[in-house]
Amino acid sequence: MKKLLLIFFISISLNVFSSSPILDDDSLKPMPVVDYVDLERFMGGWYVIATIPTFLEKDAFNPVETYQMSSDGSIATTFTFNKGSLNGPEKIYRPRGFVEDKSTNAIWGMQFIWPIRADYRIVYLDDDYQQTIIGRNNRDYVWIMARTPTISQEDYLNLVTLVGNLGYDLDALRKSTHSIN
């Protein structure tokens, strides 16, 4: 009887998820990426200017993502922010990035816990490596980042327009708050 119930629940689950829009990749065009990322130039600190936040980032202030190339070719990543306010407790996460498309260096797998690698795509990068947009094929999360904690309103609106053109829900986009020292 237990096996029969297990088979029933598995078949129901597969049926529900196979028709789920989250798993229906045919409805989404593949997320475009930049032609090429010079990883050495991309390394370093990036301030999160705006995001459609993950559950970790919903109450994040001063969010900064820092990348450092490791000797094994993976990317040591440090994500720091203050929880709840500009002076809130500092939170630090250390996921690891893995370049999955070596011809562009623009598609990574970001691993917070083994063995799961989250989709991470560099979908925009200015020529000076000062502003970038990181997206995901599912269009559930996005990050507008810059080398400085603030950018001009014109640049911000241009980047938001690009995010919208990629198919993201702009109502879910949240501008980050940074303390300016």
Side-chain angles (χ1 to χ4, degrees):
M1 182 66 171
K2 287 182 182 179
K3 284 185 181 181
L4 192 56
L5 281 174
L6 182 61
I7 291 169
F8 172 75
F9 284 115
I10 289 173
S11 66
I12 293 294
S13 297
L14 289 174
N15 208 8
V16 168
F17 286 119
S18 67
S19 62
S20 167
I22 292 172
L23 297 179
D24 185 10
D25 289 335
D26 293 337
S27 65
L28 296 176
K29 292 180 182 174
M31 177 71 64
V33 296
V34 297
D35 292 335
Y36 183 75
V37 177
D38 178 340
L39 290 175
E40 193 171 308
R41 288 183 69 195
F42 194 80
M43 297 296 105
W46 290 93
Y47 293 86
V48 179
I49 302 299
T51 184
I52 295 178
T54 67
F55 72 95
L56 294 174
E57 303 166 282
K58 290 211 186 279
D59 204 17
F61 291 77
N62 294 317
V64 177
E65 185 121 319
T66 305
Y67 306 106
Q68 182 178 356
M69 186 62 71
S70 296
S71 59
D72 65 1
S74 66
I75 299 160
T77 305
T78 304
F79 178 58
T80 61
F81 62 91
N82 296 94
K83 181 78 173 163
S85 71
L86 290 171
N87 297 316
E90 184 179 58
K91 298 290 182 180
I92 302 172
Y93 293 93
R94 299 184 192 283
R96 186 155 293 275
F98 296 88
V99 177
E100 294 183 350
D101 180 353
K102 304 281 188 193
S103 65
T104 67
N105 293 331
I107 299 175
W108 301 4
M110 191 62 73
Q111 188 174 66
F112 280 84
I113 56 170
W114 182 87
I116 300 166
R117 291 185 184 178
D119 185 37
Y120 178 104
R121 294 168 182 266
I122 302 168
V123 298
Y124 170 79
L125 181 60
D126 72 341
D127 292 337
D128 296 327
Y129 284 63
Q130 296 300 302
Q131 297 175 356
T132 190
I133 298 173
I134 308 302
R136 288 171 36 94
N137 248 351
N138 285 345
R139 288 150 175 94
D140 48 358
Y141 306 117
V142 69
W143 297 266
I144 296 173
M145 300 193 296
R147 297 293 189 174
T148 57
T150 60
I151 59 176
S152 72
Q153 184 67 10
E154 179 183 0
D155 284 353
Y156 178 73
L157 292 175
N158 288 336
L159 293 169
V160 168
T161 299
L162 288 173
V163 168
N165 290 341
L166 290 167
Y168 281 94
D169 174 11
L170 294 181
D171 290 335
L173 191 67
R174 302 287 175 256
K175 199 165 186 180
S176 301
T177 303
H178 291 275
S179 55
I180 309 298
N181 293 334

